Amino acid sequence: TECTTMCTYVDDVKMETAKKHKSTLWKVIRLMFDSEAARHADKFLGVVASVPIIEGTSYRITYSQAKYIINMVQEYEKKSGKKVRSCFTVGQQGTPADFEKLPKKESGTAARSAIGSASYAVRGTRMDVAIGVNRLARFVDRWDDEWCPAELHHQMGYWWATQDYTLQMVAQQEMWEDLYVEGYSDAQYDHHPRSHGGHLASIVGHAGTRLPQEWESKLQGSTGMNSGDTESIQWGRCAR
């Protein structure tokens, strides 16, 4: 069966369409394609957006990847033959494997697929798992330590336990400008179990207003193996 998917930016169509034809635009499109009526997008590549909710003067929309995460974990169980158990810590206890001392060894398609799927979920709504997933991804070509598959299995347990976690965007209606969060972070790798890092997070408006929300400068609570790790750890703290 042949299938065609069409994704249309409504604003672009409106700009390119004569005003007198706008009322019949979607009727014509639906004569050419078997499609639903035009509506606001609520799902895109595994990310589901809720209907905007207005609570007093607040405007809130929620993004979820629950179904995507369930499929990801079930696919991992199928390919690995291992049953996942729920846990509420991102990574396992103990020191990670020493990346520099491990010989080259492919992780296999099951591990690569799981890590790739997890990386997409991190970019979508789940910044809380960014440090663990990014660190584990470094080992896909050095999969020669029992820590590697154990860490992947542990992370899948965390994904399963937190599948309903969502990302929420909230804005105040009386504020005329769009807002976004801006974060700056830095860390120094000191060849020490815990390196020093700091970050500054602010709410910024398009008119240039900036409202600092959080500042931190202290030893990190997680172990970094190199400067890239310490940077990722600090960025994860800033994002949270």
Side-chain angles (χ1 to χ4, degrees):
T1 302
E2 294 185 358
C3 176
T4 300
T5 301
M6 182 181 70
C7 181
T8 305
Y9 288 95
V10 178
D11 288 345
D12 291 347
V13 173
K14 286 182 177 179
M15 286 190 293
E16 296 298 329
T17 305
K19 186 175 182 180
K20 61 181 180 180
H21 297 313
K22 287 182 179 180
S23 60
T24 59
L25 174 64
W26 285 105
K27 293 180 180 179
V28 174
I29 290 177
R30 295 190 69 190
L31 289 174
M32 303 166 60
F33 296 93
D34 182 12
S35 67
E36 298 177 350
R39 57 183 174 80
H40 289 290
D42 59 6
K43 182 165 57 177
F44 184 76
L45 296 179
V47 181
V48 179
S50 70
V51 176
I53 297 175
I54 298 176
E55 298 175 334
T57 59
S58 294
Y59 179 91
R60 175 165 55 89
I61 188 168
T62 301
Y63 298 92
S64 170
Q65 286 180 286
K67 290 184 178 180
Y68 176 87
I69 292 169
I70 291 172
N71 290 335
M72 175 182 71
V73 175
Q74 290 176 341
E75 188 67 17
Y76 165 78
E77 290 181 327
K78 180 180 177 181
K79 291 182 178 180
S80 67
K82 299 178 181 178
K83 184 67 176 177
V84 167
R85 297 179 62 182
S86 296
C87 63
F88 288 91
T89 55
V90 177
Q92 56 187 331
Q93 294 182 349
T95 304
D98 190 336
F99 177 82
E100 300 298 335
K101 294 181 179 180
L102 291 179
K104 289 189 176 182
K105 180 182 178 181
E106 293 291 332
S107 59
T109 56
R112 281 181 177 273
S113 176
I115 293 173
S117 297
S119 296
Y120 176 72
V122 165
R123 288 172 174 81
T125 61
R126 297 296 302 275
M127 292 178 287
D128 56 310
V129 207
I131 296 173
V133 172
N134 291 341
R135 179 172 63 179
L136 185 59
R138 298 180 66 240
F139 289 88
V140 293
D141 295 322
R142 303 286 182 96
W143 209 257
D144 196 42
D145 188 283
E146 61 182 13
W147 177 87
C148 300
E151 176 71 4
L152 175 58
H153 192 73
H154 188 96
Q155 287 186 17
M156 286 295 130
Y158 178 78
W159 284 111
W160 186 255
T162 61
Q163 59 187 255
D164 292 325
Y165 281 17
T166 59
L167 178 66
Q168 291 192 348
M169 302 295 183
V170 181
Q172 298 296 321
Q173 286 185 299
E174 69 269 17
M175 302 184 72
W176 61 269
E177 57 181 355
D178 293 332
L179 301 177
Y180 62 94
V181 176
E182 183 178 78
Y184 295 93
S185 67
D186 195 13
Q188 177 65 43
Y189 179 57
D190 300 321
H191 298 278
H192 186 273
R194 291 194 301 161
S195 298
H196 190 274
H199 67 255
L200 171 66
S202 305
I203 293 179
V204 184
H206 286 176
T209 55
R210 179 175 276 100
L211 178 64
Q213 291 295 297
E214 182 180 90
W215 178 84
E216 176 182 279
S217 179
K218 65 180 182 179
L219 287 177
Q220 296 178 339
S222 303
T223 302
M225 294 180 292
N226 52 48
S227 59
D229 274 0
T230 58
E231 294 280 2
S232 296
I233 290 170
Q234 197 60 40
W235 168 243
R237 289 189 59 81
C238 180
R240 288 198 297 271

